């Protein structure tokens, strides 16, 4: 009986020690997992920034909501009691900038930091599909209607007299442009009290012009980015409000890179730039001037540029042409 009791005591002690070890190993694994998650997030952030210490836009829902609340509070303080929210007008046309319109509509809705009071886009154009001709609206036109934007303009030219008169009557505080596709006259630029900001998908002053993403890829650039600048009469030459650099891995195509850069620019615009503009901390006079000695131009793309010439182009050059001319003029 004594031996049996001793055996049972030994079993119970061993079981207790084994349970304690399991609990300790479980806690260690949880702490290790948390550490690994933190390390992965840090590495991902460094990878996205190309190893540079730059301020990241809010990406988590809670952080984005906090940024929106801060923007609302700062705008209210800047405008004073009883005054209306800042009035914003957006100008854009293609599908790749719908993310900018959507971000502005989200932040500029009821109770938001500002009032998205109007949208300007290119007029509908005749297109032929399967032998039938019809008028097709721009992607921004369709999205603005879906969002219920109350004022929508589609002037043939931005210098249209009726359009400019209506814009001046609306009296916007600031205008935002992204791939609108028309020259803006001085009368337009004089209408918004705080100026006009443009989202340009390159690291200005490199690649000023109509095709910055395509030209950067075809040239084999190892980095690119988004620039938010003030619009002046000379194309893409205004002072820079903010610029964000990203590394290029060699696998990007123009279509996907355009979409990514404008989404990044929309976050930076709403979370970083507009609060400082509405608060009076940033203006066209205090923004950073571009270095004219570093200017390169991104001209319009010709259909013939989509051809590959294996007898006088390297494999790397042809790869970069495929990346840059993905969709058009390539296939």
């Amino acid at each position: 009986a004594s031996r049996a009791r001793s055996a049972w005591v030994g079993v119970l002690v061993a079981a207790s020690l084994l349970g304690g070890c399991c609990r300790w190993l479980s806690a260690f694994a949880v702490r290790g997992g948390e550490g690994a998650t933190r390390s992965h997030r840090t590495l991902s952030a460094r990878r996205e920034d190309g190893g540079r210490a730059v301020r990241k836009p809010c990406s988590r829902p809670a952080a984005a909501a906090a940024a929106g609340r801060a923007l609302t509070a700062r705008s209210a303080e800047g405008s004073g009691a009883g005054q209306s929210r800042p009035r914003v007008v957006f100008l854009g046309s293609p599908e790749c900038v719908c993310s900018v319109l959507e971000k502005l509509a989200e932040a500029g809705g009821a109770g938001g930091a500002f009032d998205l009071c109007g949208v300007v886009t290119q007029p509908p154009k005749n297109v032929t599909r399967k032998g039938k001709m019809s008028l097709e609206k721009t992607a921004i036109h369709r999205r603005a209607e879906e969002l219920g934007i109350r004022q929508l303009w589609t002037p043939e030219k931005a210098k249209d007299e009726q359009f400019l008169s209506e814009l001046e009557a609306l009296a916007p505080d600031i205008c935002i442009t992204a791939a609108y596709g028309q020259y803006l006259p001085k009368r337009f630029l004089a209408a918004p009290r705080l100026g006009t900001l443009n989202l340009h998908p390159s690291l200005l002053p490199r690649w000023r012009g109509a095709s910055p993403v395509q030209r950067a890829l075809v040239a084999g650039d190892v980095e690119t980015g988004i620039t938010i600048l003030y619009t002046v009469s000379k194309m893409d030459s205004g002072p820079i409000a903010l610029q964000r650099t990203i590394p290029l891995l060699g696998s990007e195509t123009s279509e996907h890179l355009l979409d990514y850069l404008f989404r990044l620019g929309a976050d930076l615009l709403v979370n970083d730039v507009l609060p400082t503009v509405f608060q009076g901390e940033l203006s066209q006079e205090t923004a950073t001037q571009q270095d004219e000695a570093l200017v390169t131009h991104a001209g319009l793309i010709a259909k013939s540029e989509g051809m590959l010439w294996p007898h006088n182009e390297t494999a790397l050059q042809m790869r970069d042409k495929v990346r840059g001319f993905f969709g058009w003029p390539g296939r």
Side-chain angles (χ1 to χ4, degrees), residues 8 11 40 53 90 120 159 170 172 199 215 260 290:
W8 277 109
V11 169
H40 174 71
F90 174 70
V120 187
K159 63 181 180 181
L170 185 64
L199 277 68
R215 296 303 179 191
Y260 175 78
Q290 296 187 40

Side-chain angles (χ1 to χ4, degrees), residues 198-221:
N198 177 40
L199 277 68
H200 185 82
S202 84
L203 296 175
L204 290 172
R206 184 165 176 78
W207 302 126
R208 287 182 185 175
S211 310
V213 168
Q214 294 90 332
R215 296 303 179 191
L217 292 177
V218 172
D221 288 3

Side-chain angles (χ1 to χ4, degrees), residues 211-265:
S211 310
V213 168
Q214 294 90 332
R215 296 303 179 191
L217 292 177
V218 172
D221 288 3
V222 297
E223 64 180 14
T224 187
I226 186 76
T227 301
I228 301 176
L229 69 153
Y230 282 92
T231 301
V232 296
S233 295
K234 187 178 179 181
M235 184 174 61
D236 299 331
S237 62
I240 295 173
L242 183 146
Q243 192 170 78
R244 171 65 53 82
T245 300
I246 65 166
L248 291 174
L249 306 178
S251 58
E252 304 86 353
T253 62
S254 55
E255 180 179 331
H256 296 96
L257 187 56
L258 268 171
D259 180 74
Y260 175 78
L261 289 175
F262 279 120
R263 287 182 184 277
L264 175 61

Side-chain angles (χ1 to χ4, degrees), residues 114-136:
F114 52 84
D115 178 18
L116 179 61
C117 57
V119 168
V120 187
T121 189
Q122 298 268 29
K125 298 187 182 302
N126 285 316
V127 296
T128 302
R129 287 194 175 90
K130 296 181 179 180
K132 295 182 179 180
M133 182 176 290
S134 61
L135 280 176
E136 185 174 279

Side-chain angles (χ1 to χ4, degrees), residues 267-286:
D267 285 341
L268 293 171
L269 175 71
V270 169
N271 296 329
D272 292 6
V273 176
L274 288 180
T276 57
V277 171
F278 294 149
Q279 193 67 13
E281 299 170 3
L282 175 67
S283 68
Q284 188 165 331
E285 289 69 33
T286 60

